[in-house]
Amino acid sequence: MERRELVNTGMYTEKQAALNMECCAEFMARMIQKYGAEILKELDEEKTQGSAEQTS
């Protein structure tokens, strides 16, 4: 794994920033698992409606 350099704002240590990033990624993964199918369905419906309007 490559090393990433963080901008030092004085707010977080590198360890705390990495923990925050991991927490954020876990939250996003849970939201995708929970709502992903619903969102994809809505996007597909919008796309279908947009295609129907363009062909009319």
Side-chain angles (χ1 to χ4, degrees):
M1 188 168 168
E2 70 182 65
R3 179 168 167 74
R4 287 182 246 151
E5 184 145 343
L6 301 175
V7 176
N8 184 7
T9 61
M11 294 177 58
Y12 297 111
T13 63
E14 189 169 337
K15 182 178 180 179
Q16 185 61 47
L19 290 172
N20 288 347
M21 181 65 76
E22 185 175 335
C23 183
C24 179
E26 289 175 359
F27 172 78
M28 292 297 294
R30 286 194 311 272
M31 293 301 102
I32 290 169
Q33 288 173 341
K34 186 172 183 178
Y35 298 111
E38 183 179 336
I39 297 297
L40 289 174
K41 182 180 175 185
E42 288 179 14
L43 291 173
D44 189 44
E45 289 172 357
E46 289 177 7
K47 185 178 177 183
T48 303
Q49 289 176 354
S51 297
E53 291 175 0
Q54 288 180 354
T55 57
S56 297

